[in-house]
Amino acid sequence: MKKITIAIDGHSSCGKSTMAKDLAREVGYVYVDTGAMYRSVTLYALRNGLFTNEAPSGTIGGASIDVEGLRRQMPDIHISFKFNPETGRPDTYLNGELVEKDIRTMEVSNHVSPIATLDFVREAMVAQQQEMGRDGGVVMDGRDIGTVVFPNAELKVFVTASAEVRAQRRYDELKAKGMEADYADILKNVEERDYIDSHRAVSPLRRADDALLLDNSNMTIAEQKEWLLEQFHKHAGVL
Protein backbone atom coordinates (compact mmCIF):
# COMPACT_ATOMS: atom_id res chain seq x y z
CA MET A 1 0.00 0.00 0.00
CA LYS A 2 1.35 3.41 -1.00
CA LYS A 3 2.34 5.62 1.90
CA ILE A 4 0.65 9.01 1.78
CA THR A 5 1.59 12.43 3.09
CA ILE A 6 -0.61 13.89 5.83
CA ALA A 7 -0.63 17.65 6.42
CA ILE A 8 -2.26 18.97 9.60
CA ASP A 9 -2.46 22.75 9.94
CA GLY A 10 -4.24 24.95 12.44
CA HIS A 11 -4.12 27.54 15.18
CA SER A 12 -1.74 27.39 18.14
CA SER A 13 -2.66 25.15 21.08
CA CYS A 14 -5.51 23.44 19.24
CA GLY A 15 -4.11 19.96 19.85
CA LYS A 16 -2.91 19.29 16.32
CA SER A 17 0.50 18.05 17.49
CA THR A 18 -1.08 15.50 19.82
CA MET A 19 -3.36 14.35 17.01
CA ALA A 20 -0.48 14.09 14.56
CA LYS A 21 1.77 12.21 16.99
CA ASP A 22 -0.94 9.71 17.89
CA LEU A 23 -1.87 9.10 14.24
CA ALA A 24 1.75 8.61 13.21
CA ARG A 25 2.27 6.07 15.97
CA GLU A 26 -1.00 4.29 15.13
CA VAL A 27 -0.24 3.86 11.41
CA GLY A 28 3.55 3.53 11.61
CA TYR A 29 4.38 6.84 9.93
CA VAL A 30 7.11 9.37 10.75
CA TYR A 31 5.93 12.42 12.71
CA VAL A 32 7.49 15.86 12.19
CA ASP A 33 6.57 18.71 14.56
CA THR A 34 7.25 21.80 12.44
CA GLY A 35 6.17 24.08 15.28
CA ALA A 36 9.01 22.64 17.34
CA MET A 37 11.39 23.60 14.55
CA TYR A 38 10.38 27.27 14.70
CA ARG A 39 10.44 27.13 18.49
CA SER A 40 13.99 25.79 18.29
CA VAL A 41 15.09 28.68 16.09
CA THR A 42 13.44 31.02 18.62
CA LEU A 43 15.27 29.35 21.51
CA TYR A 44 18.54 29.74 19.61
CA ALA A 45 17.81 33.44 19.05
CA LEU A 46 16.99 33.97 22.73
CA ARG A 47 20.12 32.18 23.89
CA ASN A 48 22.35 34.09 21.48
CA GLY A 49 21.11 37.59 22.23
CA LEU A 50 19.28 38.04 18.95
CA PHE A 51 16.27 39.69 20.57
CA THR A 52 16.71 43.35 21.46
CA ASN A 53 14.54 46.24 22.60
CA GLU A 54 15.86 48.65 19.99
CA ALA A 55 15.56 47.30 16.45
CA PRO A 56 12.14 48.01 14.90
CA SER A 57 11.82 44.79 12.92
CA GLY A 58 9.65 41.90 14.08
CA THR A 59 8.20 42.91 17.44
CA ILE A 60 6.09 41.21 20.07
CA GLY A 61 5.87 41.88 23.79
CA GLY A 62 8.31 44.79 23.48
CA ALA A 63 11.11 42.63 22.03
CA SER A 64 12.61 42.96 18.55
CA ILE A 65 14.73 40.65 16.42
CA ASP A 66 18.25 41.29 15.23
CA VAL A 67 17.22 40.10 11.77
CA GLU A 68 20.59 40.37 10.07
CA GLY A 69 22.31 38.66 12.99
CA LEU A 70 19.88 35.74 12.77
CA ARG A 71 20.22 35.60 8.98
CA ARG A 72 24.01 35.22 9.30
CA GLN A 73 23.65 32.47 11.90
CA MET A 74 20.91 30.41 10.21
CA PRO A 75 23.47 28.02 8.66
CA ASP A 76 24.55 27.16 12.23
CA ILE A 77 21.04 26.09 13.29
CA HIS A 78 20.39 22.39 12.81
CA ILE A 79 17.19 20.74 14.05
CA SER A 80 16.53 17.02 14.28
CA PHE A 81 14.13 14.59 15.90
CA LYS A 82 14.90 11.39 17.77
CA PHE A 83 12.36 8.81 18.89
CA ASN A 84 11.97 8.58 22.67
CA PRO A 85 11.08 4.98 23.62
CA GLU A 86 9.84 6.07 27.05
CA THR A 87 7.20 8.46 25.70
CA GLY A 88 6.68 6.73 22.36
CA ARG A 89 7.14 10.09 20.64
CA PRO A 90 9.98 12.03 19.04
CA ASP A 91 12.01 14.60 20.97
CA THR A 92 13.42 17.79 19.45
CA TYR A 93 17.16 18.43 19.28
CA LEU A 94 18.85 21.76 18.54
CA ASN A 95 22.40 21.30 17.27
CA GLY A 96 22.49 17.91 18.97
CA GLU A 97 21.07 19.13 22.32
CA LEU A 98 17.76 17.83 23.66
CA VAL A 99 15.51 20.92 23.93
CA GLU A 100 12.04 19.38 24.07
CA LYS A 101 11.20 21.01 27.40
CA ASP A 102 13.09 24.27 26.78
CA ILE A 103 11.09 25.11 23.64
CA ARG A 104 7.71 24.73 25.41
CA THR A 105 8.17 27.63 27.85
CA MET A 106 6.07 30.79 27.74
CA GLU A 107 9.21 32.80 26.97
CA VAL A 108 9.61 30.90 23.70
CA SER A 109 5.85 31.06 23.03
CA ASN A 110 5.96 34.85 23.40
CA HIS A 111 8.73 35.19 20.81
CA VAL A 112 8.09 32.47 18.22
CA SER A 113 5.55 34.19 15.94
CA PRO A 114 7.81 37.04 14.72
CA ILE A 115 10.61 34.53 14.13
CA ALA A 116 8.23 32.47 12.00
CA THR A 117 7.37 35.50 9.84
CA LEU A 118 10.94 35.87 8.55
CA ASP A 119 11.26 34.67 4.96
CA PHE A 120 14.78 33.23 5.31
CA VAL A 121 13.78 31.28 8.43
CA ARG A 122 10.75 29.79 6.71
CA GLU A 123 12.78 29.00 3.59
CA ALA A 124 15.32 27.07 5.65
CA MET A 125 12.67 25.22 7.66
CA VAL A 126 10.53 24.35 4.62
CA ALA A 127 13.57 22.89 2.86
CA GLN A 128 14.28 20.67 5.87
CA GLN A 129 10.62 19.66 6.14
CA GLN A 130 10.34 18.73 2.46
CA GLU A 131 13.48 16.62 2.74
CA MET A 132 12.02 14.79 5.77
CA GLY A 133 8.81 13.98 3.91
CA ARG A 134 9.97 13.42 0.36
CA ASP A 135 9.14 9.69 0.35
CA GLY A 136 5.70 9.93 1.98
CA GLY A 137 4.73 8.00 5.07
CA VAL A 138 4.89 11.20 7.10
CA VAL A 139 2.52 13.13 9.34
CA MET A 140 3.48 16.79 9.60
CA ASP A 141 1.72 19.55 11.49
CA GLY A 142 2.21 23.30 11.47
CA ARG A 143 0.79 26.47 9.92
CA ASP A 144 1.54 26.07 6.22
CA ILE A 145 2.03 22.36 5.60
CA GLY A 146 -0.96 21.91 3.29
CA THR A 147 -0.50 25.26 1.54
CA VAL A 148 3.29 25.58 1.14
CA VAL A 149 5.31 22.59 2.33
CA PHE A 150 3.17 19.80 0.84
CA PRO A 151 0.45 21.38 -1.35
CA ASN A 152 -0.11 17.98 -2.98
CA ALA A 153 -0.55 16.03 0.27
CA GLU A 154 -3.17 13.32 -0.06
CA LEU A 155 -4.78 14.19 3.29
CA LYS A 156 -5.01 17.74 4.59
CA VAL A 157 -6.70 18.73 7.85
CA PHE A 158 -7.20 22.22 9.29
CA VAL A 159 -7.74 22.17 13.06
CA THR A 160 -9.20 24.97 15.15
CA ALA A 161 -10.90 25.68 18.47
CA SER A 162 -11.97 28.79 20.35
CA ALA A 163 -9.17 30.95 21.79
CA GLU A 164 -10.50 30.40 25.32
CA VAL A 165 -10.48 26.62 24.96
CA ARG A 166 -6.97 26.65 23.53
CA ALA A 167 -5.68 28.90 26.31
CA GLN A 168 -7.14 26.58 28.95
CA ARG A 169 -5.52 23.56 27.31
CA ARG A 170 -2.16 25.30 27.21
CA TYR A 171 -2.56 26.34 30.86
CA ASP A 172 -3.40 22.77 31.92
CA GLU A 173 -0.45 21.40 29.93
CA LEU A 174 2.05 23.75 31.57
CA LYS A 175 0.70 23.12 35.08
CA ALA A 176 0.84 19.37 34.51
CA LYS A 177 4.53 19.75 33.70
CA GLY A 178 5.10 21.71 36.91
CA MET A 179 5.72 24.94 35.04
CA GLU A 180 4.49 28.42 35.99
CA ALA A 181 1.38 29.51 34.09
CA ASP A 182 -1.10 32.39 34.08
CA TYR A 183 -4.33 31.91 32.13
CA ALA A 184 -4.72 35.60 31.20
CA ASP A 185 -1.17 35.76 29.85
CA ILE A 186 -1.68 32.58 27.87
CA LEU A 187 -4.97 33.80 26.36
CA LYS A 188 -3.29 37.03 25.30
CA ASN A 189 -0.45 35.05 23.75
CA VAL A 190 -2.88 32.80 21.86
CA GLU A 191 -4.76 35.78 20.44
CA GLU A 192 -1.55 37.59 19.48
CA ARG A 193 -0.20 34.51 17.74
CA ASP A 194 -3.47 34.01 15.84
CA TYR A 195 -3.27 37.55 14.50
CA ILE A 196 0.42 37.40 13.57
CA ASP A 197 0.16 33.93 12.02
CA SER A 198 -2.85 34.91 9.90
CA HIS A 199 -1.53 38.30 8.78
CA ARG A 200 2.15 37.64 8.08
CA ALA A 201 3.34 38.32 4.53
CA VAL A 202 5.17 35.00 4.16
CA SER A 203 3.11 31.78 4.25
CA PRO A 204 0.21 33.07 6.37
CA LEU A 205 -1.91 30.61 8.29
CA ARG A 206 -4.92 29.70 6.18
CA ARG A 207 -7.01 26.67 5.41
CA ALA A 208 -6.10 25.01 2.11
CA ASP A 209 -9.02 24.79 -0.30
CA ASP A 210 -9.02 20.99 -0.12
CA ALA A 211 -8.38 20.68 3.63
CA LEU A 212 -10.94 19.07 5.92
CA LEU A 213 -12.04 21.38 8.74
CA LEU A 214 -12.00 20.06 12.31
CA ASP A 215 -13.26 22.29 15.13
CA ASN A 216 -12.34 20.31 18.25
CA SER A 217 -13.55 22.83 20.85
CA ASN A 218 -15.96 20.28 22.30
CA MET A 219 -14.23 17.02 21.34
CA THR A 220 -12.25 14.65 23.52
CA ILE A 221 -8.82 13.44 22.45
CA ALA A 222 -10.33 10.00 21.84
CA GLU A 223 -13.01 11.46 19.56
CA GLN A 224 -10.42 13.44 17.61
CA LYS A 225 -8.23 10.36 17.25
CA GLU A 226 -11.14 8.28 15.95
CA TRP A 227 -12.12 10.97 13.43
CA LEU A 228 -8.58 11.39 12.12
CA LEU A 229 -7.96 7.66 11.83
CA GLU A 230 -11.16 7.32 9.80
CA GLN A 231 -9.97 10.06 7.42
CA PHE A 232 -6.59 8.35 7.08
CA HIS A 233 -8.21 5.07 6.13
CA LYS A 234 -10.33 6.79 3.48
CA HIS A 235 -7.43 8.68 1.90
CA ALA A 236 -4.93 5.85 2.13
CA GLY A 237 -7.34 3.49 0.43
CA VAL A 238 -7.75 1.22 3.43
CA LEU A 239 -11.55 1.44 3.46
Side-chain angles (χ1 to χ4, degrees):
M1 181 175 64
K2 176 181 178 291
K3 289 189 174 182
I4 67 173
T5 298
I6 302 168
I8 301 179
D9 292 309
H11 294 97
S12 65
S13 303
C14 63
K16 59 185 180 298
S17 294
T18 298
M19 292 175 60
K21 290 173 185 175
D22 287 345
L23 178 64
R25 182 170 52 186
E26 183 81 16
V27 303
Y29 277 23
V30 174
Y31 166 70
V32 177
D33 181 355
T34 63
M37 298 175 74
Y38 290 102
R39 283 176 172 271
S40 296
V41 175
T42 303
L43 180 64
Y44 178 95
L46 286 166
R47 287 179 170 180
N48 288 274
L50 295 174
F51 280 95
T52 72
N53 292 317
E54 300 169 1
S57 54
T59 62
I60 188 171
S64 303
I65 305 165
D66 177 359
V67 173
E68 292 309 312
L70 180 58
R71 189 194 304 273
R72 288 193 300 270
Q73 295 183 50
M74 275 306 296
D76 299 325
I77 302 176
H78 304 286
I79 301 161
S80 58
F81 297 93
K82 295 180 183 178
F83 184 76
N84 184 332
E86 293 184 4
T87 64
R89 294 177 174 177
D91 285 335
T92 310
Y93 286 76
L94 171 61
N95 293 336
E97 176 194 352
L98 175 62
V99 293
E100 186 63 35
K101 185 174 182 179
D102 303 74
I103 62 174
R104 307 298 175 181
T105 64
M106 279 303 298
E107 182 181 25
V108 170
S109 294
N110 284 330
H111 291 81
V112 66
S113 285
I115 288 286
T117 67
L118 298 174
D119 55 355
F120 61 90
V121 173
R122 299 203 71 83
E123 181 180 343
M125 295 300 99
V126 168
Q128 289 190 39
Q129 292 157 15
Q130 290 175 332
E131 178 63 23
M132 293 175 184
R134 64 179 179 176
D135 297 322
V138 64
V139 183
M140 198 171 291
D141 74 277
R143 302 290 193 279
D144 61 352
I145 310 306
T147 55
V148 175
V149 183
F150 292 114
N152 296 317
E154 290 88 346
L155 173 57
K156 300 178 186 178
V157 178
F158 190 88
V159 189
T160 190
S162 72
E164 292 77 13
V165 166
R166 289 182 284 132
Q168 186 64 50
R169 290 173 179 169
R170 180 68 175 150
Y171 174 84
D172 293 342
E173 177 186 5
L174 290 172
K175 295 300 285 186
K177 293 179 179 178
M179 302 170 71
E180 290 296 321
D182 179 88
Y183 174 79
D185 288 344
I186 295 172
L187 178 59
K188 181 182 179 183
N189 173 256
V190 165
E191 292 172 339
E192 284 184 339
R193 291 180 66 187
D194 283 353
Y195 183 85
I196 293 174
D197 290 344
S198 300
H199 290 79
R200 66 188 180 211
V202 181
S203 303
L205 170 65
R206 68 175 181 85
R207 177 187 173 188
D209 294 338
D210 54 347
L212 302 174
L213 178 64
L214 175 63
D215 185 331
N216 64 14
S217 297
N218 299 306
M219 295 177 70
T220 65
I221 291 178
E223 290 171 337
Q224 296 172 57
K225 182 177 180 179
E226 180 181 0
W227 181 89
L228 189 56
L229 190 58
E230 180 180 349
Q231 302 310 317
F232 166 76
H233 287 154
K234 289 180 179 178
H235 289 78
V238 177
L239 295 180

